[in-house]
Amino acid sequence: NHSEAEAAIAETDKQRAQFIEENFDQSDSNPLLYDLTLNTAEIAPEAAADLVVRAVTARFPHVSQLTATRVP
């Protein structure tokens, strides 16, 4: 049911926001908390995945070196 799904998403969002507020004294709407945000309504999933990989590689170069030998 569509309305049940919307209610479940709203509840999850509320719980996530509450967790961030209680544990980090921050608002989940603060854009400075995020390294990258993507509007997946406007970009293909493959392109979004590529952007995420590039961002992780740029942010954590040591991780990409460790996993480069594991990726086919």
Side-chain angles (χ1 to χ4, degrees):
N1 181 316
H2 185 72
S3 62
E4 289 175 358
E6 285 181 337
I9 291 169
E11 181 60 27
T12 300
D13 288 348
K14 178 182 170 186
Q15 290 174 358
R16 185 174 293 119
Q18 184 177 1
F19 176 85
I20 292 170
E21 178 68 36
E22 290 174 358
N23 291 282
F24 303 105
D25 196 30
Q26 295 285 330
S27 167
D28 68 337
S29 64
N30 179 354
L32 299 177
L33 296 178
Y34 303 94
D35 291 321
L36 177 70
T37 59
L38 300 172
N39 181 350
T40 55
E42 300 294 330
I43 188 169
E46 296 82 10
D50 183 54
L51 288 170
V52 170
V53 169
R54 289 173 184 251
V56 169
T57 301
R59 177 70 173 86
F60 304 104
H62 63 284
V63 172
S64 65
Q65 293 170 354
L66 294 173
T67 60
T69 58
R70 298 181 195 164
V71 177

